[in-house]
Amino acid sequence: MEISTIRDEINLAIIISSLVLVLSVGVSYCTLIGHMRGGGGMLAAPLDSTINPLFLSILLRNSVVALGLFSGVLTFGLSSLLNIAFIGFTVGSTTAAAIMEVGAKSVIISVAGYAIIEIIGYILAAASGLVPVLSILNYQHGIAGTTKFAIYIRRIRCSFILLMISLVFIFSGAILETLIIVSRS
């Protein structure tokens, strides 16, 4: 009984995270697509520095983002929702700028291979931050003597597992992103 409840809470968290991301991507994309004219050629700028190699730079940046999304376990989901919305706004606006600069086909060819994997990782990380609070909202007088706080704490373990899965996607996306960027040089 509890396993299906956890699965339902995870599914709901993934759906909520996905909807917030899609909505914010759409809003920022639609806001900027009509206002961008040309660009500064920044799309091909390398991400690595003399301090960190390219793969490590990408992996660290994306992992920190995933941890920010996971932080919802400490803020009752609020930081997860705000962060996934911010990511959506960023994805939408940078997509609009890139399309205006190089065209939709070039953007899709350039980033689709890794962006989809990274976005799945971000959605799972945001969902991991929402699972405990959804367990409280879904709380029904189940086990006698079990408090909402105890349920919340138990769900954090589930959130860690979901975070680890999201980090596998982040790691895989970083490998692909590195390979794609290196292949262009």
Side-chain angles (χ1 to χ4, degrees), residues 117-185:
I117 293 170
E118 289 175 351
I119 288 170
I120 291 169
Y122 291 150
I123 289 170
L124 292 174
S128 74
L130 293 174
V131 167
V133 75
L134 290 174
S135 68
I136 288 178
L137 295 174
N138 190 37
Y139 179 79
Q140 298 169 4
H141 307 286
I143 303 168
T146 303
T147 65
K148 288 183 180 185
F149 183 72
I151 299 278
Y152 189 90
I153 295 301
R154 275 204 316 239
R155 291 301 193 262
I156 289 177
R157 185 174 8 157
C158 178
S159 291
F160 275 118
I161 294 168
L162 199 53
L163 174 65
M164 292 302 117
I165 294 168
S166 80
L167 290 173
V168 169
F169 279 92
I170 298 296
F171 183 82
S172 302
I175 291 171
L176 286 173
E177 185 173 359
T178 301
L179 292 173
I180 289 170
I181 291 171
V182 168
S183 73
R184 287 190 222 145
S185 14

Side-chain angles (χ1 to χ4, degrees), residues 15 17 29 33 40 42 51 56 78 104 110 133-134 153 160 185:
I15 290 167
S17 300
Y29 178 85
I33 193 68
M42 298 301 290
I51 299 170
L56 187 58
L78 183 62
S110 181
V133 75
L134 290 174
I153 295 301
F160 275 118
S185 14

Side-chain angles (χ1 to χ4, degrees), residues 67-88:
L67 291 175
L69 291 163
F70 173 74
S71 70
V73 299
L74 302 175
T75 63
F76 297 100
L78 183 62
S79 60
S80 296
L81 289 175
L82 292 174
N83 283 328
I84 196 73
F86 179 76
I87 290 169

Side-chain angles (χ1 to χ4, degrees), residues 35-97:
H35 301 289
M36 301 298 294
R37 299 291 179 258
M42 298 301 290
L43 295 175
L47 295 172
D48 61 335
S49 66
T50 56
I51 299 170
N52 290 324
L54 179 61
F55 170 74
L56 187 58
S57 296
I58 293 168
L59 181 62
L60 288 174
R61 182 190 65 221
N62 293 347
S63 296
V64 167
V65 170
L67 291 175
L69 291 163
F70 173 74
S71 70
V73 299
L74 302 175
T75 63
F76 297 100
L78 183 62
S79 60
S80 296
L81 289 175
L82 292 174
N83 283 328
I84 196 73
F86 179 76
I87 290 169
F89 291 133
T90 303
V91 168
S93 60
T94 56
T95 301

Side-chain angles (χ1 to χ4, degrees), residues 1 23 27 34 77 79 92 96 100 105 132 166 168:
M1 183 81 151
L23 178 65
V27 167
S79 60
M100 292 305 294
K105 182 178 177 182
S166 80
V168 169

